[in-house]
Amino acid sequence: MKSTEEHPFAFFDGYFKNEINKDLKEFYIRITEELYYNNVDEIDKTNHTIKVRNTLNDEINSKHITYSFHGSIKSKLNKETEQTKKLIELGFQKRFSDIKKVNAYADFLRIKISNSFNQNICKEFIFLTPIMNS
């Protein structure tokens, strides 16, 4: 779902409910089954990283490469975070002349942030905490 000025967290609400686990599953499949089928050394399901033997990349002078789920979705999250910030700014600009509206909008955003970045999602995907705080 695309975020809008009226619903600046729509992307995150939908992504964390439905899509993040699909992306995680695809990440594991892509690395462990498609790219490095027999060369996986370690899968860390707490941090969502996969350590593999470097058999495909001669440019990297290392025996191992570590892939992270965070790295695979980082650009998507950064793009949507910036978009959400712009939409929030627009929302404040619309309400700037009325302090009651500004306060109500700020309260609304606090509730949405705590709901979008709930404790369970931040426990499962620990890299989301810094994004939530930015």
Side-chain angles (χ1 to χ4, degrees), residues 1 10 18 25-26 32 45 63 78 85 91 94 103-105 123 129 132:
M1 178 177 264
N18 304 314
K25 184 177 180 181
E26 288 174 13
T32 61
K45 293 210 174 191
K63 291 182 181 183
N78 286 344
K85 287 178 183 179
K94 276 189 166 180
N103 289 337
Y105 187 62
K123 282 181 184 175
T129 302
M132 179 184 78

Side-chain angles (χ1 to χ4, degrees), residues 35-59:
L35 292 177
Y36 293 95
Y37 181 70
N38 290 322
N39 296 310
V40 175
D41 280 348
E42 179 183 333
I43 298 175
D44 180 348
K45 293 210 174 191
T46 301
N47 295 307
H48 303 292
T49 59
I50 302 172
K51 183 177 179 181
V52 298
R53 279 174 263 141
N54 183 9
T55 59
L56 299 178
N57 194 336
D58 294 333
E59 295 175 14

